[in-house]
Amino acid sequence: MFASALAALLLASLVRSEPVPLEPSGTSVFNEGGNCTILWTPDTTGVWTTMNIELMTGDNFNQVHLKTVATVDGTDATNPSFSYPCLSVTPNARIYFYKFSSPATSDILFTTRFTIADASGNSVSATQSQTATNGDVVAYGTGALEDPSQGDEPPVVGTASASGATSSPSSTGSRSSSSSPTTRTSVSSTAVRYIEPMNFEDIQEATGYEQGLAAEIARRETQALLDELERKKRARAIAVPTDDGRVKKRLRELGEPITLFGERAADRRARLIHLLSQKGDDVPDAMDVDEGSDEEEEEEFYTPGSLDLLEARRRIAEYSVPRARARVSKQREETKIPLTKIIEMRRNLFGELKKMQNIGSEVGDERAISLVRFSPNSQMLATGSWSGTVKVWNIPKCTLSSTHQGHSDKVGGVAWHPSATISLSPSAANLVSGAAEGNVHLWSLDSEVPLSVLLGHKARVARVCFHPSGKYVVSASFDGTWRLWDVETSAELLLQSGHSKEVFAVACQIDGSLVASG
C-alpha cells in the first residue's frame, strides 16, 4: 500500500506538463561577462504564460533573491531557452541557482546549484554544507552581486496551485539538498520537487500507477533527447556566412541583438546557428541576407582575378603536373619494395637517429628565437627572432654569417628559396620572412637590407613559404587571409579570404598544385 500511495503522489506531481528546468546542471560553469544560458521544457498546461526566472543563492531554507534575469512565456515551445550576460558576483563558487515562478500559480521550480566563475574561469569551493535526510552532504553558500545596484525586488508569486506542491534547489539535481520533514522526489536531472508530508493512511490504495509513471518519465526524457539531437542535426546542416557584417544583419532580421557583451565574431556566428536550429522546418537559408536592391548581384560568386594571376596559374599547372606524374610513378614503384627491405631501412634509419647528439650551441639573439630553418644544402641555418632580425648561421660551427634587419616587430615566419645555396645566386631572393607589423621581406645573402618589401597584410604575418617552383611566395596573416606574391615583380597576385579567425599556418604541396592554410 505504501508503494502504491507514493506512486500516486509522484504521479500527481510529475504527470503535469509544467516547465521542467534542464540547464544549468550541477557541472555547469559560467564566466562573469560571458553568456549564461538557461534551458527548460515548455509548459503545456497554459498556466505559465508569464514565467519569472530569478538568480538565487543561499541554502534551501534561507534563499536570497539577487535579480530577476528574465520574464518569458513558459508555454512557448519554439524558444524554451534564454541567454544573458552573466552578472559579477562574490564569491565565485557553486552556490547559485535559478528559481522559476509565475503570478498565475504558487508552484515554484528550481535548478540545481551551478558555478559562476570570474572572467578568467577561476572559482572557489562552497564554504558551508548541510546533511540531507539520506545522509548526503550538500555544499552551499550565500553570495551577492558585486554591484548591488543591479539587484531588484523579487516578483510576485501566485497563490493558486493545481498540484499543491512547492520545490527547492538541489546541489546534485537528483537528491535533496538539506534535511527537512517533507517528502522529496526528483522531477528531472536538474530540478527537485518537494512534496508536502501527507498521511498515507488517508490515501486509497492505487494500482497500475507505477507502470504509467515510469512510461511518462521515460517518454519525456526520450522526447527531450530526440529534440536536442534533431536540433544539433539541423545546426550542422545550416549554412551561415562567415562575414561578420552579414551575420549581424541576419541577427537583426530575426529580432535578436546583433552583439552581446564580450561576444566575438565566432561566438556571434555560433549564436546565429543555435537560433536558426531552434526554428525547425521554418529555418530560412541563413546565406540569403537581404543586401538591398543591388541589381548587379548574381547567384554565383566569383573572386575577381587579374591577368597576372591567370598567367601564374598556368605556370603553376605546367610546373606541378609533370611533378605529380613523377611522384605517383615513384609511389607505385615503392609499393613493390619487399616488406623485409622496408623494415631493414627503418631499422638503419632508427640506428642513425640514436647516434644524434648536440654538436654546437650559440646564443642566437637578445630576444626569443621564434623560428629556425635549414638551408636546402643543410650547411646554413636561418633564424627569426622577436627582435625583428633574421640571421644566417654556418653549420656546424654555429658562426654568424649575416644579419638582416628590416622588420620593426616580432618575426613570425622564415623560409628558404628551394634552390638557395644550391644553384641560386647569393644576390637573388634566397630568403623570405614575415613579421608582426604585417610586412613580408625578400632577402639576398649578400645584403643586410631587404631586396623587396611586400605590403598588403593588415595584421601580423604568422607564416611564409616559397612555392616549390621558387617563383612565388605565400604568406598567412592574422587578418584572416593568405596571399600569393610574385617574387620577380613583388606584386600581390591573390588575396584569399575564407577563415573566420586568424590564419596561423600555410604550406605548399610538394608538387606545387595545392596550398593548405589553417
Side-chain angles (χ1 to χ4, degrees):
M1 178 177 178
F2 177 81
S4 299
L6 180 58
L9 281 177
L10 293 175
L11 187 62
S13 62
L14 294 179
V15 172
R16 289 179 54 80
S17 299
E18 297 173 338
V20 177
L22 300 177
E23 288 288 342
S25 64
T27 59
S28 299
V29 179
F30 303 97
N31 294 350
E32 294 176 347
N35 283 343
C36 274
T37 303
I38 311 170
L39 300 177
W40 61 88
T41 60
D43 166 49
T44 59
T45 65
V47 176
W48 294 71
T49 54
T50 301
M51 183 170 72
N52 299 312
I53 305 177
E54 305 170 56
L55 178 62
M56 308 288 291
T57 186
D59 63 43
N60 290 351
F61 304 102
N62 297 284
Q63 301 172 7
V64 178
H65 168 89
L66 298 180
K67 183 178 178 63
T68 302
V69 298
T71 299
V72 298
D73 183 0
T75 64
D76 185 4
T78 64
N79 188 25
S81 65
F82 180 78
S83 296
Y84 70 99
C86 289
L87 301 171
S88 296
V89 296
T90 180
N92 298 109
R94 185 187 171 192
I95 58 174
Y96 302 96
F97 53 92
Y98 292 115
K99 172 182 175 182
F100 292 67
S101 64
S102 173
T105 176
S106 62
D107 291 348
I108 299 175
L109 298 172
F110 293 85
T111 67
T112 185
R113 288 179 172 85
F114 61 94
T115 304
I116 299 182
D118 63 19
S120 301
N122 301 317
S123 62
V124 298
S125 301
T127 57
Q128 298 171 287
S129 63
Q130 291 177 330
T131 302
T133 54
N134 60 3
D136 288 349
V137 177
V138 179
Y140 72 97
T142 302
L145 297 175
E146 286 190 351
D147 183 5
S149 63
Q150 293 182 333
D152 56 10
E153 293 295 326
V156 176
V157 179
T159 56
S161 173
S163 64
T166 59
S167 60
S168 183
S170 167
S171 178
T172 63
S174 61
R175 299 184 180 181
S176 57
S177 62
S178 68
S179 60
S180 170
T182 59
T183 302
R184 304 178 175 89
T185 180
S186 174
V187 173
S188 71
S189 61
T190 57
V192 175
R193 177 175 297 282
Y194 285 25
I195 309 300
E196 293 296 329
M198 300 183 68
N199 187 355
F200 291 104
E201 297 180 355
D202 296 337
I203 301 177
Q204 298 295 325
E205 182 174 356
T207 59
Y209 284 128
E210 293 88 344
Q211 182 177 1
L213 172 62
E216 178 67 15
I217 295 177
R219 186 192 67 79
R220 291 190 182 186
E221 293 179 348
T222 302
Q223 187 61 42
L225 180 60
L226 291 176
D227 291 344
E228 180 63 15
L229 291 176
E230 184 65 24
R231 187 197 67 77
K232 291 182 178 180
K233 181 180 178 181
R234 291 196 300 269
R236 289 192 295 268
I238 295 175
V240 175
T242 57
D243 179 67
D244 191 45
R246 298 180 68 189
V247 171
K248 291 181 178 179
K249 184 170 293 187
R250 192 71 185 89
L251 287 169
R252 185 180 291 110
E253 292 177 0
L254 295 175
E256 298 289 336
I258 64 173
T259 186
L260 300 177
F261 179 78
E263 186 178 54
R264 299 190 303 175
D267 302 327
R268 190 159 34 251
R269 186 170 181 268
R271 180 162 61 94
L272 175 59
I273 294 176
H274 182 80
L275 290 171
L276 292 175
S277 67
Q278 292 179 323
K279 292 184 175 295
D281 297 334
D282 297 330
V283 177
D285 190 351
M287 301 296 291
D288 294 339
V289 180
D290 186 9
E291 301 288 350
S293 58
D294 188 359
E295 298 180 355
E296 297 181 359
E297 183 178 359
E298 299 180 359
E299 292 184 359
E300 297 183 356
F301 174 77
Y302 297 92
T303 302
S306 62
L307 294 178
D308 292 338
L309 176 60
L310 178 62
E311 181 62 27
R313 284 176 169 163
R314 288 175 178 170
R315 292 179 180 178
I316 291 174
E318 293 172 355
Y319 175 86
S320 62
V321 170
R323 288 170 63 92
R325 186 182 299 112
R327 173 178 55 81
V328 173
S329 177
K330 182 179 179 181
Q331 290 174 340
R332 289 173 178 170
E333 293 296 325
E334 290 176 347
T335 59
K336 301 177 183 179
I337 300 176
L339 179 60
T340 55
K341 186 175 181 179
I342 294 177
I343 295 176
E344 182 182 358
M345 293 168 59
R346 291 179 177 177
R347 185 182 295 112
N348 294 336
L349 176 60
F350 182 70
E352 292 297 325
L353 293 176
K354 290 175 64 176
K355 299 177 183 178
M356 296 185 66
Q357 59 183 347
N358 185 9
I359 61 174
S361 179
E362 185 62 58
V363 177
D365 200 89
E366 59 185 11
R367 298 202 64 189
I369 300 294
S370 57
L371 208 67
V372 294
R373 289 288 185 267
F374 276 104
S375 64
N377 68 356
S378 300
Q379 297 180 6
M380 289 185 173
L381 181 72
T383 62
S385 76
W386 283 11
S387 65
T389 60
V390 176
K391 296 181 181 180
V392 179
W393 307 79
N394 293 312
I395 302 299
K397 296 182 180 180
C398 289
T399 57
L400 184 62
S401 174
S402 59
T403 301
H404 306 270
Q405 297 179 336
H407 290 293
S408 60
D409 210 333
K410 303 172 184 177
V411 174
V414 175
W416 288 90
H417 189 286
S419 301
T421 68
I422 297 179
S423 60
L424 191 65
S425 170
S427 60
N430 283 251
L431 280 168
V432 62
S433 63
E437 81 276 2
N439 297 340
V440 178
H441 290 183
L442 297 175
W443 306 91
S444 66
L445 296 180
D446 54 9
S447 176
E448 296 184 354
V449 297
L451 291 177
S452 179
V453 178
L454 311 181
L455 304 175
H457 283 297
K458 306 301 182 184
R460 166 186 169 186
V461 176
R463 287 291 184 270
V464 293
C465 69
F466 271 98
H467 185 268
S469 67
K471 296 180 180 180
Y472 310 101
V473 164
V474 183
S475 59
S477 171
F478 276 26
D479 61 9
T481 68
W482 66 264
R483 309 192 186 209
L484 181 68
W485 311 83
D486 190 307
V487 173
E488 182 178 355
T489 63
S490 301
E492 179 187 293
L493 299 177
L494 174 65
L495 185 158
Q496 185 62 59
S497 58
H499 290 282
S500 61
K501 291 186 178 181
E502 301 86 350
V503 184
F504 281 85
V506 68
C508 292
Q509 185 210 26
I510 189 172
D511 299 336
S513 59
L514 300 175
V515 172
S517 62

